[in-house]
Structure formats: C-alpha cells, structure tokens
Amino acid sequence: MRPDAQAGHLPVMFAQCMEGLQVKEDGTYLDGTLGRGGHARGVLEQLGPGGRLLLMDKDPEAIAHAHAVFDGDARVSVYRGSFAQMAQWDATAQGLDGVLLDLGVSSPQLDVAERGFSFGKDGPLDMRMDPDAGESAAQWLARAEETEIADVLFHYGDERMNRRIARAIVARRAETPLTRTAQLAELISSVMPRGKDKIHPATRSFQAIRIHINRELSDLETGLDAALSRLKVGGRLAVVSFHSLEDRIVKRFIAGHAKAPAGNRRLPVAQDFEPMLKIIGEAMRADEQETQANPRARSAVLRVAEKLREDA
C-alpha cells in the first residue's frame, strides 16, 4: 500500500518523485509543498533514526494536518510559510540532501468550496493559499484597473478573451460587488463564445487570478534559488509542475545551472563554464494508469537535478 492510500489523497507521480530524490537513511529532506503529506510519508518511510524531514506549507490547514500526523516523530520539523522562505528557516542551515516541490493548488484546497479556488463549487471568492496573508481575489478584483486584470488573465492564463472579460468584471462591479466564485464563473461564461474544447470558460481566468493572488511564479523563482543554496553537493531537487509557465521557469533554472550558455563568435571567449547542477534524466510525465486514477496528473511534469558543487 502506498503511504498515502489511507488518507484518500494521491500525491502526483509518487514513485517517480521517490526515485528522483534517491532518499538516504541519514539524509535531511525538505518537502516545501506539504499538502496532505503523501510525498512526505513516502520520504519518512525511507529515513532511519538519524534522518530528518522538514515540512513547509503556507496553508494553515496543511500545517494542522502535519501536526496531527507527524507530531511525536523527532525526525520531523514543521514550518508554516512559503517554500520561498526555506533559506530563512534555521533548520535548513546545515544543508539538505533533497528538496521536493509539488507546485500549484492541492486537491484538498480545490475540494473545499469555502477556499474559493474552484469555479465548480460556489464559495467566497478568496483563492489565497494562506488565508491570513495578502488580499483575496474578491478584494483584488474590486480595486484593480481594467488593464491590470486583462494583463493577469493573458499572462498567467493565456486567456485570449482577456480584455472582454476584464471589461465585464469592471462593469459588473460598478453595479454589485463580485464576492462569490459562482458569480465570477457565470459572468465569464456570459461573455465567452462557445468553444469546441470541453473546458469550462472560466478555467483559464480562475487559474490566472489564483497565480497572481498567491504570487506563485515569483515564489517559485525565489524558492528555486533558495533550494540550490541549501542543497548539499550530491543533493537532489525534484519539482512537479502543472502548467507551462511553471515548467518553463523550472526548465530554464535547471538548464541555466547545468549547461553552458550558447556562445557568440563576435564576442570574446567567455570564462569556462562550470555546471552547478546535473540534469537527471528527461522530463517525466505520469503514466496512463495514474492519469486514469488521478486526472490532475495529466498535466504534471517532473524535473530532477543534482547539485554538483558549491558556489565559488
């Protein structure tokens, strides 16, 4: 039985993540996106008495779950905060043998209407992974300029009807505040032409607003730098992403530290490139069996890299 089976939550690409991390019994590992702890339990099962597992999440419900499941195990430490803050956590100062990041919104967050992530469940228009920090989606949509809303929908959701949707949001909020997910989903559907694809008209807009509200891409960039700084030589970085914006950042980060930049014959020869990361295998995707059992895994991409040296 997989370590998460009793919890009813399937961590995406579980076996591939465990293989990528190459867990050592006495190693120190950080799961920066704890969620409901499926990956964390898998790591913990492979640790001996001298191993350590560090758990981070900015969602208070995930932290409460971590304390309920892992309190009493001296090998485990829990920290509430974004993985972008991992270098500020004293527990990481001695170095890490592995860092795992499972990006995006978790299934438990999507399943709870009150969190406001899902257009399929009516609830408060919130979308914050940390409900105690920053402004909610409703608060942002109430104050943002039309051009800002349109830019967010386009850049983070690749929404081609971005200007039309932004115009409709601004017009509607002048009449009545947008405070519920169903309100926003219905408004977007009303101004969207019927497409041939099967996705809900609000899918891309909800994704874009969520990414913006939670600063997901900037946190990812900061978190990758922090992970590299805290990894020991030989330590592994494993990142699961769910859309092209995340994966592009991860791919460029790893490649930028693993491959020499392309040369330019018109410029002087640059200093010899010394890679700091080694790419482990090709980008991996979930197999058919997993995608049938867990549709969320269909878009998942796993990239793994190993740290080769300390920064000079």
Side-chain angles (χ1 to χ4, degrees), residues 149-167 188 191-193 197 199 201 203-205 208 244 248:
I149 297 171
D151 287 347
V152 164
L153 299 184
F154 180 76
H155 292 299
Y156 295 158
D158 197 26
E159 178 52 74
R160 301 296 174 178
M161 297 291 106
N162 58 318
R163 297 189 185 282
R164 179 184 296 183
I165 294 169
R167 193 178 310 121
I188 293 171
V191 300
M192 288 281 283
D197 54 24
I199 70 168
T203 300
R204 287 182 288 268
S205 294
S244 59
R248 189 178 304 127

Side-chain angles (χ1 to χ4, degrees), residues 95-148:
L96 302 170
D97 294 286
V99 173
L100 172 65
L101 303 177
D102 179 5
L103 305 175
V105 65
S106 70
S107 296
Q109 290 169 329
L110 284 171
D111 292 341
V112 178
E114 287 73 26
R115 300 301 299 274
F117 287 104
S118 175
F119 50 79
K121 297 180 175 67
D122 184 34
L125 189 55
D126 195 311
M127 296 196 194
R128 289 173 295 176
M129 293 178 182
D130 181 352
D132 299 325
E135 61 183 349
S136 68
Q139 290 169 329
W140 177 68
L141 288 173
R143 67 154 185 84
E145 297 288 339
E146 181 179 324
T147 53
E148 182 184 0

Side-chain angles (χ1 to χ4, degrees), residues 254-268:
I254 292 175
H257 289 91
K259 300 177 180 179
N264 187 327
R265 60 187 178 84
R266 294 186 177 88
L267 297 175

Side-chain angles (χ1 to χ4, degrees), residues 276-295:
M276 185 172 287
L277 289 175
K278 176 173 71 174
I279 300 172
I280 304 298
E282 300 290 334
M284 291 173 274
R285 292 187 176 274
D287 59 28
E288 184 177 354
Q289 182 179 358
E290 179 174 2
T291 58
Q292 288 179 348
N294 182 10

Side-chain angles (χ1 to χ4, degrees), residues 74-87:
R75 299 171 297 171
V76 181
S77 297
V78 180
Y79 180 97
R80 180 180 173 187
S82 167
F83 59 74
Q85 301 169 302
M86 74 175 76

